[in-house]
Amino acid sequence: MESRGPLFTLLLAGAFALCVGPFYWLAVAATQEDKDVFSWPPKLLPGGHLVENLRGLEDSIGLTRVLLNTLLVAGIQTIGAVAVSVLPGYAFAKFEFRGRNLFFVLLLSTLVIPDTVMLIPIFQMMMELGLIDSYQSIILPGLVTPFGIFLMRQALRSMTDELLDAARIDGAGELRVLWRIVITVNRPVIAALALFVFLGSWNQFVWPLIALRSPEMYTLPVATATLQGLSTTNYAQVLLAAGIAAIPVMALFLVLQRQFISGLLAGATKE
């Protein structure tokens, strides 16, 4: 085994370079002029045009407003989707009612429906409600996540009923049991679900592109797509926008990585 040590280390170093290399090149290219992004040999040291590229993004897409739009949409959608997932997940896991298994099977069946199939019905619904080109049009469709309900149901099934019954005997109502016990005990699963929802909301592109009309309403992925012109494209600004889009997701994962891994393991258990 010791003779394989250097080879194993070399393989790990190669895998690390393959994973980190693109991110390093992205960070370096975002600080250069557009003409230097694809120069050969490639420039591997940061340039001095980061501030210039940031100003260019602010002038071309309104970077500050776009970031605020994306944070607002992703934040509200994450909080709402987690809340909506916990409630039916708790009901499916801990309450007996007629048709429970049937409703759960119908819920699971929606997971096999491609998202693109639902674009036209959702668009027609938003048109009838007069919500096109508004925050509501891109927030509301993401509040109900069948995967989130399934994840919470699987996690809550592992909780002992005696713990919940003890709280009820002490006089706690169902909402208090849900808030003080269910949510507290299952914080790792909720954190994992929140990270999933935030990542999907932060990066969603197709539906906001369809639902939004005004540039001041654009989210970051949609605004970044407008940087690609028909004849000329400032790739340094495009890469800088892509790097900015990756920062919140990476930071959130680093903060919640322990809860994320624990939540996935907890959600994978079954009786």
Side-chain angles (χ1 to χ4, degrees), residues 129-186:
L129 294 175
L131 297 179
I132 291 296
D133 197 26
S134 66
Y135 292 121
Q136 295 92 320
S137 65
I138 53 179
I139 292 175
L140 292 178
L143 292 182
V144 180
T145 58
F147 170 76
I149 299 174
F150 169 74
L151 181 66
M152 293 307 306
R153 184 254 189 187
Q154 293 300 101
L156 295 178
R157 286 182 65 187
S158 63
M159 291 186 62
T160 59
D161 293 334
E162 289 78 8
L163 180 63
L164 304 179
D165 292 338
R168 296 188 183 106
I169 293 174
D170 289 340
E174 288 300 329
L175 289 179
R176 188 172 182 181
V177 171
L178 179 67
W179 179 257
R180 292 294 181 90
I181 299 178
V182 175
I183 293 180
T184 301
V185 172
N186 292 276

Side-chain angles (χ1 to χ4, degrees), residues 66 69-70 73-74 77 115 119 122-123 126 131-142 199-226:
V66 165
N69 289 342
T70 312
V73 171
Q77 200 169 73
D115 293 338
L119 290 178
I122 294 176
F123 181 81
M126 293 300 162
L131 297 179
I132 291 296
D133 197 26
S134 66
Y135 292 121
Q136 295 92 320
S137 65
I138 53 179
I139 292 175
L140 292 178
L199 178 61
S201 178
W202 182 267
N203 291 326
Q204 65 175 335
F205 172 72
V206 176
W207 174 241
L209 181 65
I210 296 173
L212 299 178
R213 298 288 185 269
S214 306
E216 60 270 15
M217 297 293 298
Y218 284 170
T219 57
L220 187 56
V222 178
T224 302
T226 63

Side-chain angles (χ1 to χ4, degrees), residues 21-43:
F23 291 98
Y24 177 77
W25 179 81
L26 174 67
V28 170
T31 64
Q32 298 175 354
E33 289 185 280
D34 179 58
K35 64 182 181 63
D36 296 328
V37 171
F38 298 109
S39 62
W40 188 261
K43 295 185 177 181

Side-chain angles (χ1 to χ4, degrees), residues 235-257:
Y235 287 101
Q237 293 184 11
V238 172
L239 293 172
L240 178 58
I244 293 174
I247 291 175
V249 177
M250 296 176 64
L252 188 62
F253 177 77
L254 291 176
V255 172
L256 300 178
Q257 60 178 334

